[in-house]
Amino acid sequence: MTSQVSPSQGAGGSDVEDEDVELFSVNWNQDHSCFSAATANGLRMFSCKPFKEQLRRIQEDGGFRIVEMLFRTNIFGLVGQGADKQYQQNKLTIWDDCRNVLIGDFSFKSNIRAVKLSKDYFVVALEHEIHVYSFKTLKLIHLIDTTSNPKGLCCLSHHADISVMACPGTRQGIVRVEHFGSKETKFITAHDSNISCMTLTVDGLLLATASVRGTLIRIFNTMDGACLQEVRRGVDKAEIYSIALSPNLQWLAVSSDKGTMHIFSLRVRPRGKDASNGKSAIAGRQMDRSYSSGSVGSNASSSLSFMKGILPKYFSSEWSFAQFRLPEVTRYITAFGDQTTVMMIGLDGSFYRCSFDPVNGGKMVLDEFIRFMKPSMSRSRTPNT
């Protein structure tokens, strides 16, 4: 990377005044302790607890459309917005900002839709292909065809000993799961319509998905493809912006264009273990089919559930346990801070931290709100459009 991406000032502050800079995308790091912001003139990195801008890099000839972090290592995956010839929308740059070293450049035949990083792999999602690279060798190890994937849907597990990737299959509603360690591929029929959002647990053994209809979220065991639970966001069609799973697997959070962030109680449990202690079900190699559907959790369900099979399906659905209302002006990407705290970052330059009562649920409490970029700088937009 050229000196153009070197900071005008160092991490933690900048003498560069905030001008009218457009915010293109925001992305959490793998443990949700930080997030990155890709702007029209560079990149920024923020830590969440306490909230602070940790890093700002100014790019004089154009900024970035995608900035992806690798935990807190200052290794970034960067995709330009196209204004700078060196940083085009079809080119990925892996950059070590701490050592000021270029790790590698990778060019593709079409624009990059998303980038995902893990300790062992990095993934580049194009509209019809997924490219998987080894971080150790920087060599392409998998080339996977997908159905049309304009959002670049793809997720990677982040456990130290297990590497799992999920992406759309070649037919609508199908999710392809790659277990890199065991070299197994699993195809899961998740929905009847196209997938719009997905996420994996840290160990990659659970997958949560939503379709373009946006009414139902389903949770699957990635080893055998079994559907372990289904919850309902609502009845009306919605665009799901993000899905997040709590570290202890007790809660699921969903944000959408309806302006409400929903929390659902999960009844997915590791077999033979208590998920409430927040520990993974992984024990050495004994990971096969380690999750099952437990007893029904705390989600509200219709009082007419006894007429299941007679009335429409939504009368017996599992509904959200807690809710938080957001402005319907932009998309918000959510993540769990701890077991009962949820954070949201918006493309209007806003950061929310809220909490919920794990016993009674209901309306969530706003604990913190910060404008990390001026509202005039940011614009509601779909990433990569």
Side-chain angles (χ1 to χ4, degrees):
M1 185 174 295
T2 69
S3 60
Q4 292 175 330
V5 149
S6 298
S8 296
Q9 287 290 321
S14 174
D15 289 341
V16 177
E17 293 296 327
D18 281 343
E19 64 273 21
D20 189 14
V21 178
E22 185 174 0
L23 177 60
F24 283 111
S25 65
V26 287
N27 285 297
W28 294 104
N29 74 338
Q30 289 78 2
D31 61 11
H32 307 137
S33 61
C34 299
F35 69 91
S36 58
T39 73
N41 73 346
L43 68 88
R44 304 182 192 191
M45 184 183 78
F46 300 85
S47 60
C48 297
K49 195 171 184 180
F51 191 93
K52 182 181 180 181
E53 180 177 316
Q54 296 283 4
L55 184 74
R56 186 184 298 200
R57 298 293 184 252
I58 302 302
Q59 178 85 347
E60 295 176 357
D61 296 329
F64 300 105
R65 188 163 290 270
I66 299 172
V67 175
E68 189 76 18
M69 301 174 60
L70 180 62
F71 292 95
R72 299 183 67 118
T73 61
N74 279 30
I75 292 177
F76 296 101
L78 305 172
V79 178
Q81 61 168 322
D84 186 340
K85 291 182 179 180
Q86 185 175 357
Y87 301 107
Q88 296 295 305
Q89 294 185 43
N90 68 333
K91 182 179 178 181
L92 168 66
T93 297
I94 305 293
W95 174 253
D96 186 334
D97 193 75
C98 184
R99 297 187 299 158
N100 204 40
V101 170
L102 172 67
I103 295 175
D105 277 331
F106 306 85
S107 296
F108 302 89
K109 62 185 180 183
S110 61
N111 288 349
I112 296 171
R113 301 295 181 173
V115 176
K116 301 297 178 183
L117 308 180
S118 71
K119 180 177 68 72
D120 297 315
Y121 302 94
F122 61 94
V123 174
V124 179
L126 310 181
E127 185 164 354
H128 295 281
E129 292 178 341
I130 300 289
H131 296 245
V132 184
Y133 291 83
S134 164
F135 238 130
K136 182 178 181 180
T137 65
L138 303 182
K139 300 296 185 182
L140 179 69
I141 57 174
H142 294 284
L143 177 58
I144 298 170
D145 292 329
T146 69
T147 187
S148 179
N149 185 20
K151 291 183 176 180
L153 298 179
C154 182
C155 41
L156 277 172
S157 66
H158 305 298
H159 192 274
D161 300 319
I162 300 174
S163 295
V164 182
M165 184 198 73
C167 67
T170 54
R171 292 183 290 122
Q172 72 173 21
I174 304 296
V175 178
R176 176 173 178 156
V177 179
E178 294 288 340
H179 293 270
F180 293 136
S182 60
K183 298 183 180 179
E184 295 181 9
T185 301
K186 185 69 183 179
F187 292 94
I188 298 174
T189 303
H191 301 273
D192 294 331
S193 50
N194 284 324
I195 308 296
S196 69
C197 193
M198 65 173 71
T199 193
L200 285 169
T201 49
V202 171
D203 57 29
L205 298 184
L206 291 180
L207 169 75
T209 67
S211 76
V212 292
R213 294 175 184 171
T215 54
L216 298 172
I217 295 89
R218 292 177 176 143
I219 299 92
F220 298 90
N221 181 330
T222 64
M223 297 301 297
D224 61 12
C227 182
L228 304 178
Q229 189 175 354
E230 175 184 281
V231 298
R232 180 173 291 275
R233 181 214 54 81
V235 178
D236 297 331
K237 183 177 180 179
E239 182 184 357
I240 302 298
Y241 290 152
S242 68
I243 304 173
L245 294 158
S246 68
N248 64 358
L249 300 184
Q250 285 189 317
W251 310 104
L252 178 146
V254 177
S255 64
S256 74
D257 64 352
K258 295 299 183 181
T260 301
M261 197 273 296
H262 294 272
I263 299 291
F264 298 89
S265 175
L266 293 180
R267 51 182 172 82
V268 175
R269 295 291 181 266
R271 288 186 176 139
K273 290 183 179 289
D274 181 6
S276 64
N277 62 12
K279 295 181 180 180
S280 170
I282 301 170
R285 297 182 182 272
Q286 303 302 314
M287 55 175 281
D288 287 45
R289 298 172 177 81
S290 56
Y291 287 97
S292 61
S293 179
S295 59
V296 175
S298 305
N299 292 330
S301 60
S302 170
S303 61
L304 299 177
S305 59
F306 67 94
M307 298 188 70
K308 183 177 181 181
I310 301 174
L311 293 174
K313 188 174 181 181
Y314 59 79
F315 281 103
S316 58
S317 294
E318 296 180 47
W319 297 81
S320 63
F321 174 72
Q323 307 82 31
F324 184 80
R325 189 68 185 170
L326 291 158
E328 296 181 37
V329 297
T330 191
R331 62 180 54 231
Y332 296 90
I333 312 301
T334 188
F336 280 88
D338 54 34
Q339 313 300 358
T340 59
T341 300
V342 180
M343 303 174 293
M344 290 149 284
I345 45 177
L347 282 176
D348 60 349
S350 61
F351 171 86
Y352 293 82
R353 191 194 312 272
C354 55
S355 56
F356 61 95
D357 185 331
V359 176
N360 300 310
K363 186 178 180 180
M364 300 179 71
V365 176
L366 177 62
D367 298 321
E368 187 175 17
F369 172 78
I370 293 172
R371 283 283 184 191
F372 62 89
M373 291 184 70
K374 294 178 181 178
S376 61
M377 293 180 181
S378 309
R379 170 185 311 179
S380 177
R381 63 159 55 231
T382 301
N384 305 317
T385 58

